[in-house]
Amino acid sequence: MNNLSLLTQNAVQPLCVEFSQSLMKRRSITPDDAGCQLWLAEKLRAMGFDCHHLNVNGVANLIAVIGNGPITTGFAGHTDVVPAGNEDAWRYAPFAAHIEAGTLYGRGAADMKTGIAAMLGAWHRLLQTNSPLTQRFVWLITSDEEGEAEFGSKEIKAWLDKHNIHLDQVIVGEPTAHSRTGDTIKVGRRGAVSARMTIKGKAGHVAYPQQTRNAIHLASAIVHSLQQLPWDAGSRDFPGSQLQVTHIDSGRFTDNIVPERCEICFNVRFSHQFSFNSVRSMIEQAVTACTAEAEIAWERHCEPYFTNNTASGSLIDVIEHAIKTNTGIYPLMSTAGGTSDGRFFAGPNTDVVEIGVPNSSIHQIDEHVHISDLVTLEDIFTQVITTLMTTK
């Protein structure tokens, strides 16, 4: 029976829908988990998972483990959501998890409580069969993905390292689709870093420029130098790197005074050909060549990741086949978009793939997902887990 047939029946909603509503009705705005992970842990314990709660600086993290074997697969996601904004502007209350005409409305409908619910629904279906586990599976859930991400997945990764748990592959339930579930998966993300640069000059009367150092002129030279940096142009698999100046401020304006200080803010999005350290080194060299009177404060750096293992039996291969079986299409493999918590788990020996429902309404008023897309995601996860459970 296909998903559309399921929707037209008067039967009880699929588990992933029920689970989504239970999570979405909790007002878990970053970093407040609002009990989502306690609810989730109760469900996972009933399935046999060993659950660990890791609370750091007001951030809730959940790690749940089941099975043993030579391969460890992680299921990552976040229970936090962004604020709803003007709640009066919503068609339905943002935390009511209202269903209308086959569509589920509310904060977290796309990003990404439904992804967690689809994973949970898939596990619930499979563990009812009492199939033997030939691998170890680990849930990795945080309430700090939409925020600074300082005490979320980064702390989870540190906990895994401390307990000698190596992740061979990680599935992230972020919303990746364009039009319908399965049409796009993410196999990488660019790195990102912001910076705030302060340039020091010397103030003075504009009529006597020889007695001054114009901080704006110095800043202009620096911006020009930054625009000449040798970034990569990108490839078919990965967007190129780029630097964008986002703000310039020389303080209060006075018509006849040369400014003694100028602040430049910029953001860099960089491919897997760079690391934060290589980006920082290249930029600092360029700035130093212009002036020694500049200080740079680096903010919120995120490393890139790229999974290109498409061999038979690889995580990408397993997910592709599950999508083809359940939707009739093969997915586009994308690396577009912003950052994700997949970066904390990715590495030379850890494949990371993101797959989820359509992302066209994330962070918006009337965020929503079609129930058919949600059920399809549960079906895909069910086949993926079934395949992984029997892999030796």
Side-chain angles (χ1 to χ4, degrees):
M1 183 179 297
N2 61 34
N3 294 333
L4 291 177
S5 297
L6 283 171
L7 294 179
T8 58
Q9 291 187 350
N10 293 322
V12 176
Q13 293 282 11
L15 280 176
C16 57
V17 179
E18 175 189 332
F19 292 159
S20 293
Q21 289 180 298
S22 294
L23 288 168
M24 290 169 59
K25 288 177 180 178
R26 290 168 166 82
R27 190 181 286 265
S28 56
I29 299 171
T30 311
D32 183 9
D33 178 63
C36 289
Q37 292 176 26
L38 292 175
W39 175 89
L40 180 58
E42 180 182 353
K43 297 292 184 182
L44 291 172
R45 284 194 184 95
M47 298 182 202
F49 281 84
D50 184 17
C51 296
H52 307 269
H53 293 279
L54 183 65
N55 297 304
V56 185
N57 284 11
V59 171
N61 301 299
L62 172 64
I63 303 158
V65 185
I66 195 172
N68 288 291
I71 300 175
T72 299
T73 301
F75 291 84
H78 61 91
T79 50
D80 61 316
V81 297
V82 298
N86 179 9
E87 298 194 15
D88 292 335
W90 285 68
R91 185 179 306 178
Y92 309 105
F95 295 98
H98 179 79
I99 296 176
E100 187 69 32
T103 299
L104 172 61
Y105 291 87
R107 188 56 89 217
D111 190 11
M112 60 157 281
K113 290 182 175 180
T114 49
I116 294 173
M119 290 179 186
L120 187 62
W123 272 104
H124 191 276
R125 287 164 62 178
L126 288 169
L127 291 181
Q128 302 301 311
T129 67
N130 295 316
S131 300
L133 296 177
T134 60
Q135 292 190 26
R136 176 168 56 185
F137 297 92
V138 186
W139 280 64
L140 313 163
I141 307 296
T142 184
S143 70
D144 188 33
E145 195 275 345
E146 299 290 5
E148 295 298 322
E150 283 297 318
F151 306 109
S153 293
K154 182 188 293 187
E155 292 289 341
I156 291 175
K157 181 58 167 62
W159 187 96
L160 295 173
D161 291 343
K162 180 180 178 180
H163 290 81
N164 297 314
I165 298 177
H166 168 71
L167 297 169
D168 296 285
Q169 50 198 16
V170 178
I171 301 169
V172 185
E174 289 281 9
T176 59
H178 289 293
S179 300
R180 58 172 173 147
T181 295
D183 65 15
T184 306
I185 61 176
K186 297 288 178 71
V187 296
R189 297 276 188 144
R190 286 190 296 180
V193 65
S194 294
R196 187 178 301 271
M197 184 189 315
T198 303
I199 299 102
K200 299 177 182 177
K202 181 181 178 182
H205 198 291
V206 295
Y208 303 97
Q210 68 275 13
Q211 299 174 1
T212 68
R213 287 196 312 278
N214 192 313
I216 292 180
H217 292 179
L218 291 173
S220 177
I222 291 172
V223 169
H224 177 75
S225 179
L226 294 179
Q227 290 302 302
Q228 306 309 308
L229 291 173
W231 301 113
D232 65 296
S235 65
R236 182 172 64 90
D237 297 316
F238 222 101
S241 304
Q242 64 172 15
L243 181 150
Q244 293 292 323
V245 175
T246 55
H247 183 67
I248 297 178
D249 182 9
S250 61
R252 183 175 179 178
F253 169 68
T254 303
D255 180 63
N256 61 354
I257 297 179
V258 169
E260 65 177 350
R261 178 183 175 278
C262 188
E263 185 176 84
I264 300 173
C265 297
F266 60 87
N267 179 272
V268 186
R269 299 293 166 127
F270 53 98
S271 76
H272 61 295
Q273 297 186 31
F274 292 91
S275 66
F276 166 60
N277 286 335
S278 64
V279 167
R280 178 175 60 184
S281 177
M282 185 167 63
I283 289 175
E284 288 179 346
Q285 289 179 26
V287 172
T288 300
C290 294
T291 178
E293 298 297 321
E295 297 179 354
I296 305 176
W298 299 96
E299 303 171 347
R300 301 185 302 279
H301 77 271
C302 307
E303 295 291 351
Y305 81 86
F306 182 41
T307 297
N308 59 2
N309 178 15
T310 58
S312 177
S314 67
L315 184 59
I316 289 177
D317 179 62
V318 170
I319 291 175
E320 278 189 323
H321 278 85
I323 291 173
K324 180 64 167 62
T325 299
N326 287 279
T327 67
I329 62 173
Y330 277 109
L332 171 70
M333 290 190 287
S334 172
T335 56
T339 60
S340 89
D341 274 11
R343 69 187 186 272
F344 294 111
F345 306 116
N349 300 308
T350 305
D351 289 347
V352 175
V353 177
E354 302 176 40
I355 172 174
V357 298
N359 57 23
S360 58
S361 68
I362 62 173
H363 295 199
Q364 297 179 20
I365 300 292
D366 292 334
E367 181 181 348
H368 62 274
V369 65
H370 294 290
I371 299 297
S372 59
D373 280 309
L374 176 52
V375 175
T376 295
L377 185 60
E378 181 182 309
D379 291 341
I380 291 169
F381 281 143
T382 300
Q383 182 172 330
V384 169
I385 300 168
T386 299
T387 303
L388 296 176
M389 285 171 67
T390 57
T391 300
K392 298 182 180 179

